């Protein structure tokens, strides 16, 4: 498929736009590389599943993490709502990696997994009303002894990181230049951050294209997510401030990474 400006692919639910990530996956990969530590993520996730284990990535994007895990011998499945990202991920291949196009809320499978994870604040993109059901579904997808990893942005991430307008530049190794123009708007009554982005891309041949992207993020707190996990039959076993297993900072800034497993006596 051809990835047109993303507002043409807006996903509507109950009349409200939630998110769109319909732009070429290669451009997402470039931007992701500027924000993430892939080596640390791979080591962290690998340590939580047995050799050759079955892994599910909910909100897999362009499959970056799954390709690394597949190369280490894990059997991997990824799901993402972006048709463009899934198309790119399938094109990149990867040993032992499969992909499904669809939202986390709608994902259904009879399979079971040693590790289910959701990174890069995918949890925040879910409608707040859907969180409880998604986490209960995740609990049902675990094999005995399996783990869940959730990385999410919480209150102070948004408060301290808020800038009404930002401009960023991202460069690919082959001459691609992405200029990201972003605007943030706040709905305090709904605890929601709306991010509207325009991506100006100069490709390797010097052609310029424009993509219109947006996403809503629910402002979550640590206690809220812990309570949701508990309600879903999951027990928090570790919390970190990053994928190098840094302690979660006492002041609450930065992302929070929670590792959970099924409660004792509640495994399938």
């Amino acid at each position: 498929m051809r990835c047109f400006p993303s507002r043409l692919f807006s996903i509507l639910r109950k009349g409200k736009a939630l998110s769109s990530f319909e732009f070429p996956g290669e451009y997402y990969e470039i931007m992701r590389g500027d924000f993430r530590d892939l080596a640390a993520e791979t080591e962290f996730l690998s340590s939580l599943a047995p050799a050759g284990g079955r892994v599910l990535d909910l909100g897999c994007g362009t499959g970056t993490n799954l390709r690394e895990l597949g190369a280490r011998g894990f059997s991997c499945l990824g799901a993402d709502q972006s048709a463009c990202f899934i198309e790119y991920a399938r094109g990149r291949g990867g040993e032992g990696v499969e992909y499904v196009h669809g939202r986390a809320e709608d994902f259904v499978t009879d399979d079971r997994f040693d590790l289910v994870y959701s990174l890069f604040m995918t949890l925040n993109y879910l409608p707040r009303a859907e969180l409880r059901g998604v986490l209960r579904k995740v609990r049902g997808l675990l094999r005995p002894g399996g783990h869940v990893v959730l990385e999410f942005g919480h209150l102070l991430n948004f408060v301290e990181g808020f800038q009404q307008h930002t401009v960023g530049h991202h460069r690919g190794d082959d001459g691609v230049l992405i200029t990201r123009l972003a605007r943030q708007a706040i709905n305090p009554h709904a605890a929601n951050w709306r991010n509207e982005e325009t991506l100006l891309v100069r490709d390797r041949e010097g052609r310029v294209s424009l993509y219109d992207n947006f996403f809503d993020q629910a402002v979550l707190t640590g206690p809220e997510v812990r309570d949701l996990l508990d309600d879903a039959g999951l027990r928090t076993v570790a919390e970190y401030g990053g994928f190098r297993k840094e302690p979660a900072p006492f002041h609450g800034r930065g992302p929070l990474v929670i590792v959970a497993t099924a409660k004792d006596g509640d495994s399938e």
Side-chain angles (χ1 to χ4, degrees):
M1 68 172 288
R2 182 182 174 190
C3 293
F4 292 96
S6 52
R7 201 172 292 277
L8 297 178
F9 289 87
S10 299
I11 296 176
L12 301 179
R13 195 177 186 90
K14 298 179 182 178
K16 296 182 180 179
L18 299 172
S19 61
S20 69
F21 287 93
E22 298 298 351
F23 57 91
E26 65 175 305
Y27 302 149
Y28 176 80
E29 287 271 303
I30 292 170
M31 291 190 292
R32 188 190 193 284
D34 288 342
F35 293 118
R36 308 295 294 182
D37 186 339
L38 180 58
E41 291 170 356
T42 303
E43 290 297 330
F44 185 98
L45 296 171
S46 297
S47 71
L48 292 170
R54 186 75 169 140
V55 174
L56 171 65
D57 183 340
L58 285 176
C60 66
T62 49
T64 317
N65 294 105
L66 292 176
R67 288 192 294 276
E68 294 296 317
L69 293 172
R72 293 190 175 208
F74 293 98
S75 171
C76 303
L77 177 65
D80 199 274
Q81 72 173 31
S82 169
C84 287
F85 289 3
I86 289 295
E87 176 189 42
Y88 177 86
R90 287 172 174 160
R92 288 290 303 271
E95 187 69 26
V97 183
E98 300 175 275
Y99 296 99
V100 173
H101 174 223
R103 299 175 61 84
E105 305 94 300
D106 304 322
F107 178 79
V108 176
T109 180
D110 293 328
D111 205 348
R112 294 296 179 266
F113 301 87
D114 299 292
L115 174 65
V116 179
Y117 66 85
S118 184
L119 309 186
F120 212 175
M121 297 201 292
T122 297
L123 199 68
N124 298 86
Y125 300 142
L126 298 177
R128 190 180 297 273
E130 303 280 2
L131 281 171
R132 191 177 306 276
V134 169
L135 291 177
R136 287 177 175 172
K137 178 190 299 184
V138 166
R139 164 65 191 88
L141 294 174
L142 284 183
R143 290 175 175 173
H147 289 91
V148 176
V149 176
L150 302 175
E151 177 200 18
F152 64 97
H154 52 91
L155 184 59
L156 280 183
N157 287 110
F158 293 94
V159 172
E160 293 199 330
F162 174 76
Q163 296 183 62
Q164 188 173 9
H165 300 98
T166 59
V167 179
H169 300 286
H170 308 272
R171 297 181 182 273
D173 294 335
D174 55 358
V176 173
L177 173 64
I178 302 169
T179 297
R180 176 176 169 269
L181 311 172
R183 174 181 178 271
Q184 290 185 329
I186 304 170
N187 182 342
H189 303 292
N192 180 74
W193 256 239
R194 163 62 64 92
N195 296 266
E196 298 175 343
E197 302 177 338
T198 298
L199 305 178
L200 296 170
V201 182
R202 185 194 66 201
D203 67 19
R204 58 188 61 84
E205 283 79 35
R207 296 171 300 197
V208 177
S209 55
L210 181 149
Y211 300 90
D212 184 19
N213 184 47
F214 73 91
F215 50 91
D216 288 340
Q217 291 179 295
V219 180
L220 305 174
T221 66
E224 180 181 8
V225 174
R226 293 183 200 104
D227 286 347
L228 286 167
L229 287 167
D230 182 71
D231 182 70
L234 293 161
R235 176 173 56 90
T236 299
V237 296
E239 295 187 9
Y240 302 102
F243 290 98
R244 295 191 180 279
K245 298 188 177 180
E246 308 94 317
F250 72 92
H251 47 60
R253 300 182 182 93
L256 187 62
V257 180
I258 289 182
V259 181
T261 190
K263 292 180 181 178
D264 292 341
D266 190 33
S267 60
E268 296 180 348

